[in-house]
């Protein structure tokens, strides 16, 4: 079977050329291999992972949790954040990319704002910032402050508009105690000559210059004193602090951006890619549709080699349709999520372990990775989604309430909370920033909720990853790839599940 798996990267073109697979037998043999039932659909708590004889001395010996997201994108942490308005904007995407995962900026912001969010991620921990933000010396401190605040940067290069030469630098420290924000930048900035380095300076050389001169920012200039880049001490420290970070070929943090299937999705996707998005997610609640099929084909044609993830579906037939249309990664999950009502409202959706396993059965034939989306309530669910064959897991609820999610925490009933709400909830539909007046309100398929404030997202990710390493050691898998192949389930009764809960 192995040699029939297609080479990565060529899937979109070859998938259509391949004869239709026998979905039924692919699915059945995979379910048998995984120890999953063929007649009934099961979810996380219906099954338990079997342990095998293992030569792994301890969970800390496991270092390889590399997983495939789409095309040439691999993550050292198989976790991506949900493209929801209360979960992923730039702060979450930056935090997750630093931890080796990836964030998908949600699609409910107007396109200009989405583009800005993508740019913020690409600007963070950059190593070399190619187009550093700059300002005119005649601008006011107020304008400088506005740019720094909105772009979340601590300094701006000051460039003379006529000669285009670097003539100074202004940082948030220069402005911090200034009460007269109408002053001109030129009055307050540090004037040239500044300590600079030539274009082509390496990060290691920059580190020595920053250290020797005890400065925070090192502009790179060309032979005409024009700005050719910027290296910031903060970024160099972040690069060392997060060796596992998801970075693109230039060393920038990776980020995903989402489009829907509305009328301007294709133009939006192009703009997001131009802003630096590494992967485009095309997302719709009802993904097994000709609309999504056409939209993927359209994006495939316009975006060239840019990886495309598409969803959501929950059947092997749906998976095949997305792959044949040209998707490089597929997102699986209809209704398992914490704020979902699709199972309760329209009554649709396959329990998640079966949905993931059946889609993997088809997708792996084409070398296409599956993202298991929704329903993760703790370590066991995270591990089981991967054990069922998913290459990564999309999470909303477990990340909700962390500092990095959009929105402010609030106090109620004596506790600190943040809002988490379904993208199809009534409340969200009414408050959508990109909503057009004429848009009709649909019966809700999601709910709003409050979740306890949790502090930094890194704590959540570390806990999940620690459980994953432990689970891998029980299964005897040194790598995540091995775990996905080797892990097997056994069905359990409700009392078997209850037995597993601490009761002492
Ligand atoms: P968790 O369980 O991690 O799930 O919070 C996140 C996923 O839930 C999906 N989602 C929805 N599904 N109605 C739904 O049926 C909704 O309003 C809704 N909002 C989000 C989505 O797939 C997300 O990644």
């Amino acid at each position: 079977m192995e040699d029939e798996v297609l080479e990565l990267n060529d899937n979109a073109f070859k998938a259509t050329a391949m004869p239709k697979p026998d979905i039924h037998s692919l699915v059945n043999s995979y379910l048998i291999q995984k120890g999953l039932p063929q007649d009934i659909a099961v979810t996380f708590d219906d099954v338990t992972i079997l342990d095998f004889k293992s030569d792994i001395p301890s969970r800390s010996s496991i270092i390889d949790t590399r997983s495939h997201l789409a095309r040439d994108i691999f993550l050292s942490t198989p976790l991506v954040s949900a493209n929801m308005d209360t979960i992923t904007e730039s702060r979450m995407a930056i935090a997750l990319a630093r931890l080796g995962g990836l964030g998908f900026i949600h699609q409910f912001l107007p396109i200009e704002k989405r583009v800005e969010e993508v740019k913020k991620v690409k600007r963070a921990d950059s190593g070399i910032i190619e187009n550093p933000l700059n300002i005119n010396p005649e601008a006011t401190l107020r304008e400088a402050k506005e740019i720094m605040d909105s772009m979340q940067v601590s300094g701006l290069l000051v460039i003379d508009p006529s000669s285009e030469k670097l003539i100074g630098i202004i940082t948030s420290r220069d402005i911090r105690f200034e009460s007269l924000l109408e002053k001109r930048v030129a009055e307050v900035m540090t004037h040239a000559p500044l300590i600079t380095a030539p274009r082509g300076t390496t990060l290691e050389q920059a580190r020595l210059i920053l250290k020797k001169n005890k400065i925070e920012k090192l502009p790179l200039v060309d032979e005409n004193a024009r700005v050719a880049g910027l290296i910031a001490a903060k970024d160099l420290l972040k690069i060392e602090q997060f060796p596992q970070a998801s970075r693109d070929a230039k060393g920038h943090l990776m980020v995903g951006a989402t489009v829907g299937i509305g009328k301007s999705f294709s133009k939006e996707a192009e703009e997001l890619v131009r802003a630096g998005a590494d992967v485009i997610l095309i997302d719709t609640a009802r993904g097994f549709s000709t609309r999504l099929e056409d939209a993927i084909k359209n994006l495939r044609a316009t975006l060239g080699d840019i990886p495309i993830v598409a969803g959501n579906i929950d059947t092997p037939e749906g998976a095949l349709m997305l792959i044949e249309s040209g998707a490089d990664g597929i997102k699986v999950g209809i209704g398992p999520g914490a704020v979902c009502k699709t199972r309760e409202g329209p009554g649709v959706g396959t329990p998640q372990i079966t949905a993931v396993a059946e889609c993997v059965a088809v997708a792996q034939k084409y070398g296409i990775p599956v993202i298991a989306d929704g329903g993760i309530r703790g370590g066991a669910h995270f591990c089981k989604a991967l054990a069922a064959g998913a290459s990564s897991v999309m999470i909303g609820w477990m990340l909700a309430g962390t500092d990095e999610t959009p929105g402010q925490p609030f106090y109620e009933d004596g506790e600190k909370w943040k809002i988490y709400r379904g993208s199809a909830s009534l409340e969200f539909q009414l408050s959508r920033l990109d909503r057009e007046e004429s848009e009709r309100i649909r019966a809700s398929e999601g709910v709003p909720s409050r979740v306890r404030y949790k502090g930094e997202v890194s704590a959540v990710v570390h806990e999940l990853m620690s459980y994953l390493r432990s689970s891998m050691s029980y299964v005897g898998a040194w790598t995540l790839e091995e775990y996905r192949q080797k892990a097997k389930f056994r069905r359990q009764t409700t009392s078997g599940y209850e037995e597993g809960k601490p009761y002492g």
Side-chain angles (χ1 to χ4, degrees):
M1 288 297 278
E2 199 56 16
D3 55 351
E4 283 180 37
V5 173
L6 290 174
E7 281 295 304
L8 301 177
N9 297 347
D10 291 340
N11 66 76
F13 313 102
K14 288 192 185 161
T16 40
M18 274 179 78
K20 287 258 183 231
D22 177 355
I23 290 185
H24 187 69
S25 62
L26 273 182
V27 165
N28 278 346
S29 58
Y30 188 71
L31 292 176
I32 291 167
Q33 178 200 324
K34 282 283 164 198
L36 291 170
Q38 292 157 264
D39 53 343
I40 186 173
V42 292
T43 192
F44 301 103
D45 296 338
D46 299 323
V47 292
T48 186
I49 301 172
L50 295 180
D51 79 325
F52 290 112
K53 186 174 179 189
S54 166
D55 60 350
I56 299 172
S58 81
R59 68 173 88 173
S60 54
S61 355
I62 293 174
I63 44 174
D64 187 349
T65 50
R66 197 170 113 105
S67 77
H68 188 200
L69 182 74
R71 211 165 253 251
D72 52 358
I73 300 188
F74 290 83
L75 306 174
S76 55
T77 300
L79 192 158
V80 299
S81 60
N83 49 302
M84 296 169 73
D85 78 312
T86 44
I87 298 293
T88 313
E89 289 178 2
S90 53
R91 272 192 76 194
M92 177 62 77
I94 292 170
L96 276 189
R98 283 179 182 156
L99 296 167
L102 184 125
F104 282 100
I105 306 289
H106 68 88
Q107 66 271 42
F108 308 109
L109 287 170
I111 185 63
E112 318 78 60
K113 290 227 180 306
R114 254 178 288 167
V115 160
E116 249 177 54
E117 293 301 300
V118 167
K119 285 186 177 167
K120 281 184 202 165
V121 184
K122 298 314 277 185
R123 225 176 258 286
D125 310 3
S126 290
I128 297 173
I129 304 164
E130 281 145 2
N131 296 304
L133 293 170
N134 59 67
I135 193 158
N136 188 309
E138 294 305 314
T140 61
L141 297 188
R142 187 180 307 285
E143 286 166 308
K145 189 168 180 311
E146 271 166 17
I147 301 177
M148 288 191 232
D149 288 349
S150 75
M151 298 307 290
Q152 289 162 12
V153 296
S154 62
L156 301 173
L157 299 181
V158 186
I159 294 186
D160 178 61
S162 52
S163 67
E164 294 178 9
K165 287 188 178 167
L166 176 67
I167 57 165
I169 186 165
I170 184 157
T171 69
S172 49
R173 277 194 218 163
D174 299 326
I175 304 182
R176 194 180 295 157
F177 295 115
E178 271 296 346
S179 46
L180 275 180
L181 290 180
E182 297 317 317
K183 272 189 188 170
R184 286 177 312 116
V185 165
E187 294 174 63
V188 174
M189 71 185 189
T190 305
H191 288 262
L194 302 170
I195 293 164
T196 60
R199 183 207 293 275
T201 301
T202 64
L203 294 182
E204 201 36 51
Q205 289 165 331
R207 147 192 279 289
L208 293 175
I209 302 172
L210 290 164
K211 185 175 165 207
K212 181 162 166 248
N213 296 285
K214 298 196 177 95
I215 51 172
E216 292 291 319
K217 294 190 190 297
L218 180 67
L220 304 183
V221 289
D222 65 14
E223 39 311 331
N224 301 314
R226 296 211 175 104
V227 174
L230 178 72
I231 297 177
K234 189 177 67 98
D235 289 353
L236 292 188
L237 292 174
K238 283 281 181 328
I239 290 173
E240 279 168 23
Q241 194 184 343
F242 298 105
Q244 304 239 300
S246 310
R247 296 189 183 281
D248 63 20
K250 290 184 180 163
H252 304 290
L253 293 178
M254 288 206 278
V255 59
T258 316
V259 295
I261 51 173
K263 55 183 182 313
S264 36
F265 73 90
S266 179
K267 207 172 131 277
E268 289 176 3
E270 284 180 56
E271 282 191 49
L272 292 163
V273 168
R274 260 200 302 280
D278 298 277
V279 45
I280 293 293
L281 164 62
I282 177 154
D283 187 278
T284 170
R286 199 163 47 81
F288 194 10
S289 64
T290 39
R291 273 186 87 187
L292 183 58
E293 185 177 33
D294 294 342
I296 300 171
K297 286 181 184 161
N298 176 316
L299 284 192
R300 186 80 279 160
T302 49
L303 298 185
D305 280 346
I306 299 294
I308 299 171
V309 171
N312 276 18
I313 46 90
D314 68 346
T315 60
E317 293 80 8
L320 184 63
M321 184 204 82
L322 300 187
I323 294 166
E324 287 190 333
S325 313
D328 304 299
I330 57 176
K331 195 151 77 74
V332 175
I334 306 270
V339 284
C340 300
K341 259 176 71 181
T342 308
R343 305 265 177 92
E344 268 194 354
V348 176
T350 305
Q352 185 71 343
I353 287 290
T354 295
V356 169
E358 293 192 347
C359 292
V360 168
V362 171
Q364 69 175 5
K365 182 143 183 82
Y366 298 87
I368 297 289
V370 163
I371 302 174
D373 175 17
I376 306 299
R377 298 184 200 185
H381 291 186
F382 181 61
C383 296
K384 287 175 188 179
L386 296 163
S391 294
S392 60
V393 182
M394 178 171 269
I395 296 185
W397 182 76
M398 283 203 73
L399 307 182
T402 60
D403 273 331
E404 292 82 351
T405 57
Q408 294 301 319
F410 59 94
Y411 283 91
E412 201 172 58
D413 302 329
E415 290 200 64
K416 198 171 178 183
W417 310 87
K418 284 188 97 169
I419 293 287
Y420 180 48
R421 57 186 181 184
S423 306
S425 63
L426 196 58
E427 293 69 12
F428 178 62
Q429 291 184 57
L430 289 169
S431 69
R432 258 174 65 180
L433 282 181
D434 61 342
R435 183 168 172 266
E436 283 169 21
E437 274 302 309
S438 56
E439 239 172 90
R440 91 200 133 81
I441 300 291
R442 294 172 303 168
S444 77
E445 289 187 22
V447 295
S449 70
R450 60 177 192 180
V451 289
R452 283 205 171 72
Y453 170 74
K454 296 191 186 117
E456 287 184 10
V457 73
S458 58
V460 179
V461 174
H462 288 145
E463 187 190 27
L464 290 175
M465 289 305 288
S466 175
Y467 284 132
L468 174 61
R469 284 192 201 93
S470 179
S471 190
M472 287 167 69
S473 70
Y474 277 107
V475 168
W478 284 96
T479 67
L480 187 64
E481 269 320 293
E482 205 183 338
Y483 180 73
R484 292 181 50 246
Q485 302 289 330
K486 223 169 151 181
K488 257 184 168 252
F489 295 103
R490 185 158 192 193
R491 273 184 76 188
Q492 62 183 351
T493 56
T494 317
S495 44
Y497 168 66
E498 288 297 323
E499 178 190 58
K501 291 186 182 166
Y503 61 91

